[in-house]
Amino acid sequence: MKTAKIIAAAALAGMLATPAMAAKKDPETRLAEKLEGRVAGEPVRCIDMARVSSSTIYDKTAIVFDAGSTLYVNRPDSGENSLRRNDIMVTKTHSHQLCSVDTIEMRDTMGFWSGVVFLGEFVPYKKVKEEG
């Protein structure tokens, strides 16, 4: 009975540690995991923001824009050190597109300015079609 309690406690500790361990993975590893099973296409200059349902920031690395079947990865030309996953991105576009000539203003969770990001080209990643 005592052994069962120890095993259960160890299993619970392992389950609780998993999210914390995932958060400690470096951004490149997290990005690679997100893109697993996808193939990169030719970079594009602009993406249609009406098709984007969400975005994810990978600290000091990249921004991933989720457009359903396609994930667009933007590795900024400059300002990538301002990318922090808990910050808020503020974009000012003059059309329905976000383009590589645009900038993104970063704000911390209190709304204070924390930097600016100069976007690069967007690399589309699509799922690999299974043969069968």
Side-chain angles (χ1 to χ4, degrees):
M1 185 73 154
K2 191 174 188 178
T3 305
K5 287 182 181 179
I6 292 171
I7 292 171
L12 179 60
M15 286 188 292
L16 294 175
T18 303
M21 290 171 74
K24 290 185 179 185
K25 289 182 183 176
D26 70 275
E28 289 290 351
T29 300
R30 288 181 40 245
L31 180 59
E33 288 172 354
K34 177 77 171 182
L35 299 174
E36 193 172 319
R38 295 177 179 268
V39 174
E42 289 295 317
V44 297
R45 291 179 38 121
C46 300
I47 59 173
D48 185 354
M49 290 305 287
R51 303 178 98 198
V52 173
S53 60
S54 66
S55 59
T56 305
I57 298 172
Y58 291 83
D59 291 346
K60 299 181 180 182
T61 303
I63 306 166
V64 175
F65 296 90
D66 188 337
S69 63
T70 306
L71 297 178
Y72 291 95
V73 177
N74 190 289
R75 291 182 181 266
D77 284 341
S78 182
E80 64 276 354
N81 287 333
S82 296
L83 291 174
R84 292 177 200 83
R85 70 176 166 183
N86 293 324
D87 279 2
I88 300 160
M89 296 186 295
V90 179
T91 59
K92 297 176 185 171
T93 59
H94 302 287
S95 71
H96 59 90
Q97 293 185 321
L98 187 62
C99 296
S100 59
V101 296
D102 292 325
T103 59
I104 294 179
E105 192 175 291
M106 302 303 295
R107 303 263 178 173
D108 66 17
T109 55
M110 298 295 290
F112 293 107
W113 185 88
S114 61
V116 66
V117 175
F118 297 85
L119 296 175
E121 289 186 318
F122 298 84
V123 179
Y125 283 82
K126 295 187 178 204
K127 287 186 180 178
V128 178
K129 293 185 180 181
E130 294 181 24
E131 295 181 29

